[in-house]
Amino acid sequence: MIDVRNPATEETIAELSSATAEDADRAVAAARAAFPAWRALAPADRARLLRRLATLVEEHADELALLETRNVGKPLGDSRGEVAMVADVFHFYAGAVDKHFGETIPVAGGIDLTFREPLGVVGLITPWNFPLNIASWKLGPALACGNTVVLKPAEVTPLSSVRLGELALEAGIPEGVVNVVVGPGRIVGRRLVEHPDVAKIGFTGSTEVGRGVMAGAAATIKRVTLELGGKSANVVFADADLERAAASAPGAVFGNAGQDCCARSRILVERTAYDRFLSLLEDATGSVKVGDPEAEGTEMGPLISAEHREKVASFVDGDARFQGDAPCGPGYWFPPTLVEASNADRVAREEVFGPVAAVIPFDDEADAIRIANDTPYGLSGSVWTENGARAIRVARALESGVLSVNSNTSVRVQTPFGGFKQSGFGRELGVHALEGYSEVKNLFIAT
Ligand code: NAD
């Protein structure tokens, strides 16, 4: 059995029977059987079904948001925003179904065409931190391209994905097109990775598990998209609007209690502005409202589990520069924490995945770029400066997939999202995601 808990209360909220490798095989067989009819469906009809799913998500927004909050511990306001994004994702890919064109290419002796063919059955493996959002980022383009799917959510936070599977059926998406299997990664996830009838794995999770997924996929030359960990830099130059940069920084690292692959968990500050910025940052960190995720106005909830809290705490061991407040009692609470560090420290090198920010000084532009890039990861990051040329120069120099200037937002339905280096490869969201769920077929016709 899988014991699903509310991390804010430690209470069991559901018990699900744990799927086996045979259940995974059955789901793959169902997806395989559903594939020919789903790919053959008229594009406008496939679009209509995705649009209906988007509308059902909107109609069940309160229910889904509460489910996500109770299972993940994230503030209700955050969950509402995430559910709204899920609906937007399905609307976007409903619109993309009949706009993902092939090409005609000038050649000698005939006509050359390309087609975007679906891959077949795709396995979607998702993490516990943004369960519904990340499921939709994969489901939307996968279904739009005509694939059928087996979705394996993380065991600790499966509830919203199970509900989404039910809504897909209610929307009229035929049985077998979307299959949700809840079970351990090392059994069900692994089976999907190894299964000869699965054409691709869309994986989001840790770099460590992603490495195993990539190795496992090699045996069947499966396509993989890997969205992995991060250790992103928030680079603040002395000429930035320091008040705005400091007010925005806590949300960028303590949002979702720091359990965010895009967390700007290294805050790089130009030395001449360091003391002033740090004092502004302490004030902003102290005002983060940590508490009951279901209460209006809460900005940060608990961590996902007791074990995870222990891991997060191991990065601090008593030498915090500043810690905010957090409730005590039941729930896996940890306060927002600032640590002064050098980029060689463990807190600056490893993904903490908790509300701990490493604040690191730098000397000049070249030093900032060197420190920001001195990491195996390359997912997101920010540049704060009032100098437009510098903003573009630094953004171009950073080895990272998703950057923002004078802002800490990375994720939009319309724009590509994904990492450089060991943060993975492939892109989700936007029209770019369609590339990861289709093959290009070339056809020459002699004339
Ligand atoms: P995880 O790697 O432990 O698990 C991710 C998923 O993989 C889960 O569904 C898990 O059951 C499954 N899994 C575990 N072992 C497996 C195996 N051997 N074969 C196949 N599947 C297996 O990650 P997590 O702890 O759930 O999530 C946190 C991690 O995810 C962090 O590193 C975070 O940075 C990353 N993440 C990345 C992004 C991104 O878009 N880049 C987004 C969110 C989270």
Side-chain angles (χ1 to χ4, degrees), residues 61-412:
D62 290 342
E63 175 205 340
L64 289 167
L66 192 59
L67 202 56
E68 200 79 322
T69 283
R70 293 204 169 140
N71 197 173
V72 190
K74 62 178 78 211
L76 202 47
D78 291 9
S79 296
R80 288 192 190 115
E82 288 168 28
V83 171
M85 186 191 196
V86 170
D88 286 348
V89 166
F90 289 123
H91 280 303
F92 181 88
Y93 289 107
V97 169
D98 50 10
K99 297 172 196 71
H100 190 214
F101 306 131
E103 301 131 304
T104 59
I105 303 173
V107 293
I111 300 167
D112 197 279
L113 309 168
T114 64
F115 294 90
R116 310 286 180 151
E117 304 286 13
L119 301 168
V121 177
V122 297
L124 309 178
I125 301 178
T126 54
W128 50 259
N129 58 341
F130 293 99
L132 203 55
N133 255 6
I134 290 175
S136 75
W137 300 358
K138 299 180 190 309
L139 277 166
L143 296 175
C145 290
N147 304 284
T148 56
V149 310
V150 179
L151 168 64
K152 194 213 86 65
E155 309 86 288
V156 277
T157 59
L159 301 182
S160 56
S161 297
V162 170
R163 189 70 187 110
L164 187 63
E166 292 168 359
L167 292 178
L169 275 180
E170 201 179 319
I173 293 174
E175 204 143 337
V177 172
V178 177
N179 306 274
V180 183
V181 184
V182 181
R186 62 182 192 288
I187 298 171
V188 173
R190 189 158 163 197
R191 183 68 187 138
L192 294 177
V193 170
E194 291 172 354
H195 203 298
D197 290 339
V198 174
K200 183 221 164 100
I201 294 287
F203 175 84
T204 300
S206 59
T207 294
E208 188 190 344
V209 175
R211 200 170 282 126
V213 167
M214 193 170 169
T220 48
I221 317 291
K222 241 180 216 66
R223 283 85 183 109
V224 284
T225 302
L226 299 176
E227 297 287 351
L228 310 176
K231 193 73 205 175
S232 298
N234 183 359
V235 182
V236 182
F237 286 94
D239 68 1
D241 179 339
L242 294 182
E243 279 75 15
R244 218 156 68 75
S248 168
V253 52
F254 307 136
N256 213 41
Q259 304 165 124
D260 182 347
C261 52
C262 288
R264 273 87 166 148
S265 55
R266 291 183 299 148
I267 305 178
L268 276 48
V269 188
E270 192 164 3
R271 211 176 284 279
T272 52
Y274 186 81
D275 290 339
R276 167 123 190 279
F277 182 82
L278 200 54
S279 128
L280 292 166
L281 182 61
E282 285 176 358
D283 290 348
T285 300
S287 68
V288 174
K289 291 193 194 74
V290 185
D292 179 3
E294 291 181 45
E296 291 299 333
T298 295
E299 293 169 315
M300 192 183 117
L303 293 169
I304 192 70
S305 67
E307 306 80 71
H308 188 55
R309 179 173 56 186
E310 231 171 88
K311 185 191 154 207
V312 169
S314 77
F315 283 91
V316 181
D317 39 276
D319 54 3
R321 157 87 192 213
F322 180 86
Q323 280 197 305
D325 295 323
C328 35
Y332 311 119
W333 304 99
F334 197 87
T337 300
L338 302 174
V339 176
E340 287 184 285
S342 95
N343 203 51
D345 295 338
R346 178 172 167 249
V347 70
R349 304 222 59 86
E350 294 178 23
E351 187 178 43
V352 178
F353 227 54
V356 180
V359 189
I360 303 167
F362 67 84
D363 293 322
D364 55 21
E365 192 177 309
D367 197 33
I369 293 166
R370 182 190 61 76
I371 297 172
N373 286 341
D374 179 17
T375 168
Y377 296 110
L379 189 54
S380 68
S382 307
V383 183
W384 292 79
T385 172
E386 294 294 293
N387 178 334
R390 165 183 277 167
I392 295 173
R393 212 163 47 229
V394 174
R396 293 297 306 273
L398 294 182
E399 297 159 355
S400 181
V402 195
L403 288 159
S404 44
V405 170
N406 296 334
S407 158
N408 291 319
T409 57
S410 314
V411 181
R412 290 178 178 76

